[in-house]
Amino acid sequence: MATAPTLRHLDQVVPQLISPADTVRLALLAGPADGSPASVFYEVWEPGGAQPDNSHPDSTEIFVVLTGHGIAHSDEHSVPIGPGDVLVLPPGSVHRIENTSATERLYTVTIMAEDGGAMPGGFAALVSAGTPAQWDDTDRAALRGH
């Protein structure tokens, strides 16, 4: 018998802050608990927000920018990002993304290609253990595409 697909709606995923003072929220959409070697997230940067430098030794991280603008830093490289861009960060790179807007949020779909290679215990587990946050009307409109 075939396994049924997993379907989640925006209202069923809870954004998390990895640390309570973070300016970036992540919501796990799919990951190892769903039988996937990759983890997929909605990721939302507050205006002017950024995550700290981070690295994933054995995992490629991919960002699909939905709305907003930022700058991605990876090792000694920096590139601007905006809607429709796909950013691929190689395994082992030291990277971070900054939202360059003082007023608008930056939204991405983020894929950790090999979650188990991201860090001990996996990136999905780190996010899931974070501090729960909320979606607001701006988030819902952006993530629904209108």
Side-chain angles (χ1 to χ4, degrees):
M1 179 173 219
T3 302
T6 300
L7 176 66
R8 291 190 177 90
H9 187 270
L10 177 61
D11 294 332
Q12 296 173 303
V13 295
V14 177
Q16 306 280 118
L17 299 169
I18 292 175
S19 298
D22 283 352
T23 57
V24 180
R25 292 175 284 150
L26 295 101
L28 178 63
L29 302 176
D34 301 301
S36 172
S39 289
V40 182
F41 306 87
Y42 282 135
E43 196 160 354
V44 181
W45 286 255
E46 292 300 320
Q51 75 269 72
D53 283 345
N54 63 96
S55 184
H56 314 288
D58 296 311
S59 183
T60 300
E61 193 169 13
I62 304 158
F63 298 83
V64 179
V65 181
L66 303 174
T67 66
H69 293 87
I71 187 162
H73 305 278
S74 178
D75 298 324
E76 69 275 8
H77 307 282
S78 295
V79 294
I81 58 172
D85 287 342
V86 177
L87 173 70
V88 180
L89 298 171
S93 67
V94 176
H95 55 264
R96 77 181 193 294
I97 295 175
E98 298 174 53
N99 179 351
T100 54
S101 174
T103 59
E104 303 292 325
R105 292 178 180 143
L106 170 65
Y107 294 87
T108 69
V109 170
T110 304
I111 302 150
M112 190 68 69
E114 290 291 332
D115 189 273
M119 59 186 37
F123 192 66
L126 175 71
V127 170
S128 296
T131 302
Q134 299 293 319
W135 298 126
D136 65 18
D137 290 341
T138 302
D139 298 325
R140 287 183 191 92
L143 295 172
R144 286 186 177 133
H146 51 285

